[in-house]
Structure formats: C-alpha cells, structure tokens
Amino acid sequence: MPALRSIQHRLGRHSVICLFQNGLGQIEELNERLFTDPLTRPTYMFGIMRHGVYIKAPFEAVLAGLTGSCALGIVNDGQQASSSLSSPSTASAQSRFLIGRLVEAPIVRCSEMPWMELHQAQLLKLATNCVVNPLTALLDVRNGSLLADPELQEMQRQLLQEISLVFRRLPELQGLPDVQEQFSVARLEEQLIGNIEKTASNSSSMREDVRAGRATEIAFINGWIVRRGQQLGLECPTNRCLTQLILAKTSQGR
C-alpha cells in the first residue's frame, strides 16, 4: 500500500501492476483503498515466485538459486475491464508488453498461465505458506524442523483441515473438475511435506520478517483463510490463533 500510494497519481486504466507476493487479498485491498473506481482502475497481474529470493536492501533482491521458476497471469476478478482477461491469448497491449518482458528473461524462468489455473496454483501455495510461515516464525526454526517435531503434526493437520474446507467451498471454484480431490486434506498434506523436504534448510520469509522486526504478510496468508471462512460461514480457529500470535509477536518486536 505505501509503495503504490506514492505513485497513485501516475496510475490509471492504462497501467499494469504485477504483484509477486505471498498470500491472497492484496487486490481486494487495493480496490477498496486506492483504486476505488472500476473505470479508472489499473489491470492487475499476479505472479507466483518459486525461486529462493531475499531482500538485501531497498531495490536490491538476491536470487539465492536457479532451481525455481515463476508463473504469472492476468487477474480476472470479475471487476476488470473484460472477461477475456482470463485467457492468456487476449490482453491489452500494455499487459502483453510486461508479460513478454518477464517471459523472455531467461534467469527468471517465467511462464504465463490462464487466470483460473494460476489462481488454483496460488491456493496450493497458500496452503503450504499457512503452515510453514507462521510456525517457523513463532518457533524461530528453519523449515525442516517442522517435520522433525512430532508435537507439531496435529496442529499442521488442523490447519490443513480448515484450509481444505474453505478451498472446497470457494464459489469461484465450483463447477471446475477435480476441485474436491485437488484440495483434499491428503493432497494438501502431501504437497506440504514435499515442499518442506525441498526447502528444509531455508528460512521462511515470515521468520525473517519477524527476526528483522518488520510487519509480516500474515493478514494475506492465514488471515485470508479466516476472512474467507467467515464469508462462507466457516470457523477457522487454528488459523485465527496463528494469525493473532504472529500479530502479537511482531507488535512486541517493534
């Protein structure tokens, strides 16, 4: 919000904003607080970063390895200019320019996806982040420690049960094939374990934010699960608890 507010006067319906962030809900906040008029609202793109990247200084990010990739797509949230934005083949010239530059950059290893495919990939990544990020931040451990501690297994499963229920009730996913199986607890758990094994030596972004005394993305990770659950009439007490604990921890740190 602070970054975009500083250049808000230069942005309009011909602008394209590409977000590479953990979690979901950022676009809803931008629409509510900055770009309130749908007729003058920028086009949004969202990306999923699978590289290991950390911030060294403002405007300086370090790519820790070349084993990852990126995926991006043009957001079709029902409020953008055209439903055709759900297809990668049709988009504004401005959007296609930015997509082209990102896809052509070999070091980024970026690919374009239709919005609904990207959104489902976002949800899968979100499920893992809801477990790994807050737990590693609260316990101040690297990712691999979550598999080594049997005391955490029950909490991880409770988190995934709540997340699975919310995902399988999302109205935007209804009617899509294999949604119930794709977002089942077993599938989410399988993905979580695989991700932790691959990143066992990594320190999560939320842990690093907490250690540095920075605000975290918890409101867009577990907080998003809680908010969407409320909208669907579902309670998510474990996700709510972790959200409150991270907010309290960062507040004390500051």
Side-chain angles (χ1 to χ4, degrees):
M1 288 295 299
L4 285 173
R5 185 180 286 113
S6 69
I7 57 171
Q8 182 182 3
H9 62 286
R10 299 177 59 185
L11 301 174
R13 63 190 304 266
H14 298 297
S15 306
V16 182
I17 299 173
C18 184
L19 303 169
F20 282 93
Q21 293 178 290
N22 286 330
L24 289 169
Q26 296 92 341
I27 289 171
E28 290 82 353
E29 182 171 339
L30 289 174
N31 288 346
E32 181 180 340
R33 297 174 59 185
L34 283 188
F35 307 110
T36 56
D37 185 354
L39 297 179
T40 60
R41 186 173 292 158
T43 295
Y44 298 117
M45 292 168 52
F46 219 116
I48 299 176
M49 180 70 70
R50 300 190 182 97
H51 294 292
V53 180
Y54 63 92
I55 300 297
K56 188 175 181 180
F59 297 101
E60 185 177 0
V62 177
L63 182 62
L66 296 176
T67 58
S69 63
C70 296
L72 76 154
I74 301 172
V75 175
N76 179 19
D77 60 0
Q79 298 175 304
Q80 303 240 74
S82 170
S83 61
S84 65
L85 293 180
S86 60
S87 169
S89 61
T90 55
S92 69
Q94 293 90 342
S95 301
R96 293 246 53 93
F97 177 83
L98 182 55
I99 289 171
R101 300 293 76 74
L102 290 169
V103 169
E104 289 170 6
I107 198 171
V108 182
R109 297 183 181 179
C110 199
S111 60
E112 184 183 1
M113 297 175 66
W115 168 241
M116 191 48 65
E117 288 183 24
L118 183 71
H119 185 49
Q120 291 179 72
Q122 282 181 306
L123 292 172
L124 291 172
K125 186 171 187 286
L126 176 63
T128 294
N129 285 339
C130 281
V131 177
V132 173
N133 286 23
L135 290 179
T136 56
L138 289 170
L139 298 172
D140 194 19
V141 296
R142 294 187 179 273
N143 295 359
S145 296
L146 300 184
L147 292 182
D149 190 344
E151 299 294 335
L152 294 175
Q153 303 309 307
E154 180 59 28
M155 174 169 282
Q156 292 179 26
R157 189 159 187 84
Q158 289 173 359
L159 287 166
L160 293 180
Q161 286 172 345
E162 294 173 6
I163 293 164
S164 173
L165 191 56
V166 170
F167 285 179
R168 288 182 287 123
R169 295 274 189 92
L170 289 174
E172 62 265 31
L173 300 184
Q174 302 310 304
L176 296 177
D178 302 324
V179 166
Q180 300 302 313
E181 180 182 353
Q182 182 181 14
F183 296 113
S184 66
V185 174
R187 184 67 65 86
L188 295 181
E189 194 167 40
E190 178 183 347
Q191 177 191 260
L192 171 66
I193 293 172
N195 181 274
I196 293 176
E197 289 175 343
K198 291 177 184 177
T199 64
S201 62
N202 290 9
S203 179
S204 74
S205 59
M206 190 172 293
R207 180 190 182 218
E208 291 303 308
D209 285 339
V210 168
R211 288 164 67 93
R214 295 188 295 261
T216 72
E217 297 173 308
I218 192 68
F220 302 107
I221 301 179
N222 302 77
W224 186 87
I225 296 294
V226 173
R227 289 193 301 277
R228 287 311 304 264
Q230 287 179 324
Q231 294 167 3
L232 297 168
L234 302 170
E235 288 297 322
C236 300
T238 315
N239 281 274
R240 181 185 296 279
C241 179
L242 283 188
T243 301
Q244 292 170 335
L245 285 171
I246 289 292
L247 292 173
K249 189 173 182 68
T250 53
S251 177
Q252 290 179 353
R254 287 195 294 273

